[in-house]
Amino acid sequence: MQSTALAGGAGLPSAPRQSRASVKTDPWAIVQTGRWFQGLPPELAGQLRALARPLHLAAGQWLFRRGDPPCGLYAVARGALTISGTAALGEQTRTALLALVEAPMWLGEIALFDEAARTHDAYASTACLLLHVPHQPLRDWLAEHPQYWQHLALLLTDKLRASLIALEEQTVLPAPQRLAHRLVQMAQSYDQWTEGQCSRRELAVSQEQLARMLGLSRQTTNQILQELQQAGWLQLRRSKLEVLDLAGLRTAAHQGLPGIATPRKSS
């Protein structure tokens, strides 16, 4: 990561660079295929497109930090963002990796509603192209068109549902099923992709990142991934993996892998 230590806070990455220049490929080509954006009324979709500006992040750059003021909505057009939280334990700090956000997902909607400070950290785990919709211009427009707030609320409810499901799985499911289900969610960008769009997809996530997201040891995570690879459902690569058979992963998420005997909670 670019000259930074997440746990200690020293050597912070530089601020993101925003550009209005045209990009070689249309970032909306991917973003507009997402389930949430496809369901928007034409007037709201058009206003988001009119307000949005491309934002480029190098790998390791912060998008925002916990405690930062609201800065708007963001859509991921290319690359991956890491969402994390850091807690102080005496003189030490620990960082929890909560999620990876990839195209065509949106983020930043919580602060759009309550105008409170950011609750978590977001930084680019790879080089990213985002679409940034500024906070105040969007709120001003919504004040004149309040009927569209409900559609923004759907971003919140989608993530609330996913968070509650993840809490339940953390409590009741054994590690292999939790990991398989997380891969299914990521392959579908947490239900933003349709089935046909993600039958074969590369995920920019390492084994260490998966282990941290799920609260598992690296050894347990590697064991489960090797079993999934042997089943022909995914292909492991350096710092990423490729989903080969989404239906097979979904079966593992629901029924488990009989070849792996892993306790429900592993550290």
Side-chain angles (χ1 to χ4, degrees), residues 14-21 54-58 61-62 128-129:
S14 57
R17 175 174 59 88
Q18 189 162 351
S19 170
R20 294 173 180 264
L55 175 63
H56 297 271
L57 297 180
Q61 279 189 290
W62 295 105
C128 290
L129 171 60

Side-chain angles (χ1 to χ4, degrees), residues 102 179 183-184 186-187 200-207 210 221 225 228-229 233-244 249:
E102 296 183 282
L179 192 150
L183 292 177
V184 170
M186 293 175 65
R200 186 178 178 95
R201 182 162 182 247
E202 194 172 80
L203 302 177
V205 59
S206 67
Q207 294 187 38
L210 276 174
T221 301
L225 289 173
L228 294 172
Q229 181 172 250
W233 297 331
L234 59 80
Q235 178 68 49
L236 298 176
R237 306 188 189 282
R238 185 174 181 179
S239 299
K240 56 188 174 183
L241 58 85
E242 184 180 5
V243 175
L244 303 177
L249 277 180

Side-chain angles (χ1 to χ4, degrees), residues 1-7 12-14 16 55-66 68 74 76 78-86 95-102 107 120-128 130 204 206 208-209 212-213:
M1 200 171 136
Q2 184 183 23
S3 64
T4 185
L6 276 181
L12 299 181
S14 57
L55 175 63
H56 297 271
L57 297 180
Q61 279 189 290
W62 295 105
L63 178 61
F64 50 74
R65 302 292 304 270
R66 172 179 284 172
D68 283 353
Y74 298 90
V76 181
R78 187 168 62 244
L81 292 169
T82 294
I83 308 300
S84 63
T86 302
T95 299
L97 177 58
L98 303 178
L100 289 179
V101 181
E102 296 183 282
L107 71 157
H120 293 89
D121 303 327
Y123 68 90
S125 52
T126 68
C128 290
L130 311 178
S206 67
E208 181 179 355
Q209 287 173 318
R212 291 173 60 196
M213 280 191 285

Side-chain angles (χ1 to χ4, degrees), residues 73-148:
L73 279 180
Y74 298 90
V76 181
R78 187 168 62 244
L81 292 169
T82 294
I83 308 300
S84 63
T86 302
L89 299 174
E91 296 182 353
Q92 297 182 338
T93 59
R94 296 188 62 182
T95 299
L97 177 58
L98 303 178
L100 289 179
V101 181
E102 296 183 282
M105 295 176 67
W106 291 72
L107 71 157
E109 70 281 353
I110 295 177
L112 181 68
F113 279 84
D114 61 14
E115 297 198 278
R118 294 295 187 187
T119 58
H120 293 89
D121 303 327
Y123 68 90
S125 52
T126 68
C128 290
L129 171 60
L130 311 178
L131 291 166
H132 177 212
V133 180
H135 178 79
Q136 198 56 51
L138 179 55
R139 281 190 61 92
D140 290 345
W141 186 84
L142 288 168
E144 297 177 358
H145 305 83
Q147 68 271 27
Y148 294 121

